[in-house]
């Protein structure tokens, strides 16, 4: 009996792993590292908690894999010259977000996981999960040393990509400055909820930021006046 159960779990392992990653990505973005519990992640994925530990070993390891997967997929799938615009879209209008003032973004991620028992990995790494990567980090600021490696590693990747948009001798500094501004904007809007930034139109924020950063990173594409931010 135990052997048959183990075989069944092994055959469904890829699906279970994907569902856990999708559920964790949504909940970490909504609540941050500390407030997203193992029980809630497993519940949203529709699996037993024991399977989470079987696949990832710990909540810390799961968080690191979520951040790495989502962030690096965004970097792979987004043209460098459009990276700032794409990151802003993910932070300003998170996938599935509901504008109800809830400080944990209860609606965020519904596009990936609809209900506790329905979180299907669809293989689209460039969609909701990737768009949540920096929001996940923002909501997890202050969670402690256990996530510092994931935060540092992903930040380095984004900074390098942004630095590549400048031909100046101080391109690394410019990349760091651009990333710092993006993180600051996300922190004040997503986590702190400071007004008027928290209520500002996403398209207007993106236009102002992209236009200004274009002076710092000359390889950036200019703001797209026809782009819609919904």
């Amino acid at each position: 009996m135990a052997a048959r159960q183990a075989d069944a779990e092994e055959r469904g392992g890829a699906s279970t792993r994907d569902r856990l990653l999708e559920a964790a990505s949504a909940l970490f973005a909504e609540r941050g590292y500390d407030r997203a519990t193992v029980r809630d992640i497993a519940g949203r994925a529709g699996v037993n908690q024991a399977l989470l530990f079987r696949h990832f070993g710990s909540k810390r390891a799961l968080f690191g894999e979520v951040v790495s997967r989502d962030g690096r997929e965004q970097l792979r799938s987004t043209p460098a010259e459009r990276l700032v615009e794409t990151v802003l879209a993910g932070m300003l209008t998170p996938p599935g977000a509901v504008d109800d003032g809830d400080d944990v973004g209860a609606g965020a991620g519904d596009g990936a996981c609809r209900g506790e028992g329905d979180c299907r990995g669809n293989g689209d790494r460039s969609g909701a999960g990737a768009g949540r990567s920096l929001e996940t980090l923002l909501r997890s600021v202050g969670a402690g040393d256990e996530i510092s490696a994931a935060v540092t590693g992903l930040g380095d990747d984004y900074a390098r990509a942004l630095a590549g948009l400048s031909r100046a001798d101080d391109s690394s500094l410019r990349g760091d400055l651009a990333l710092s501004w993006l993180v600051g904007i996300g922190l004040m809007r997503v986590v702190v909820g400071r007004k008027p930034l928290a209520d500002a139109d996403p398209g207007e924020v993106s236009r102002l930021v992209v236009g200004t950063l274009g002076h710092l990173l000359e390889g950036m594409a200019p703001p797209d006046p026809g782009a819609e931010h919904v």
Side-chain angles (χ1 to χ4, degrees):
M1 181 68 177
R4 286 197 300 272
Q5 183 177 358
D7 289 342
E9 289 178 354
E10 185 65 28
R11 288 194 298 272
S15 175
T16 298
R17 184 181 181 86
D18 288 344
R19 286 157 59 193
L20 284 165
L21 284 167
E22 293 292 342
S25 178
L27 285 170
F28 285 142
E30 292 168 19
R31 306 176 185 178
Y33 179 83
D34 287 335
R35 296 174 65 187
T37 67
V38 169
R39 175 178 294 180
D40 288 343
I41 292 170
R44 182 169 292 197
V47 303
N48 188 282
Q49 291 182 59
L51 286 176
L52 185 152
F53 291 107
R54 175 179 175 182
H55 283 280
F56 300 99
S58 67
K59 179 182 171 184
R60 172 186 176 181
L62 173 60
F63 179 86
E65 187 153 345
V66 165
V67 170
S68 176
R69 182 199 68 155
D70 289 352
R72 289 186 171 88
E73 180 54 36
Q74 184 174 71
L75 290 170
R76 282 195 299 270
S77 62
T78 305
E81 63 272 16
R82 292 290 180 188
L83 183 59
V84 169
E85 199 170 6
T86 302
V87 168
L88 282 170
M91 290 194 301
L92 299 175
T93 53
V98 177
D99 187 14
D100 60 2
D102 190 319
D103 66 346
V104 298
D110 285 350
C113 306
R114 300 183 184 277
E116 290 190 352
D118 188 12
C119 183
R120 304 289 188 262
N122 60 11
D124 183 8
R125 296 281 70 78
S126 63
R132 284 192 296 258
S133 57
L134 285 187
E135 185 189 0
T136 300
L137 293 183
L138 289 170
R139 289 201 178 278
S140 302
V141 168
D145 291 341
E146 60 185 344
I147 66 168
S148 62
V151 173
T152 300
L154 185 59
D156 288 346
D157 290 340
Y158 275 93
R160 277 194 295 270
L162 293 170
L165 295 171
S166 174
R167 296 184 298 273
D169 291 340
D170 60 351
S171 60
S172 294
L173 175 60
R174 291 172 181 239
D176 279 352
L177 288 171
L179 179 62
S180 297
W181 194 18
L182 290 175
V183 170
I185 291 169
L187 185 65
M188 298 305 290
R189 179 175 171 114
V190 175
V191 180
V192 177
R194 181 177 176 84
K195 297 181 180 181
L197 177 59
D199 297 330
D201 176 68
E204 178 67 4
V205 174
S206 182
R207 183 186 68 81
L208 292 171
V209 173
V210 172
T212 302
L213 280 180
H215 297 287
L216 191 67
L217 304 172
E218 66 274 13
M220 279 180 53
D224 183 358
E228 294 184 0
H229 298 267
V230 296

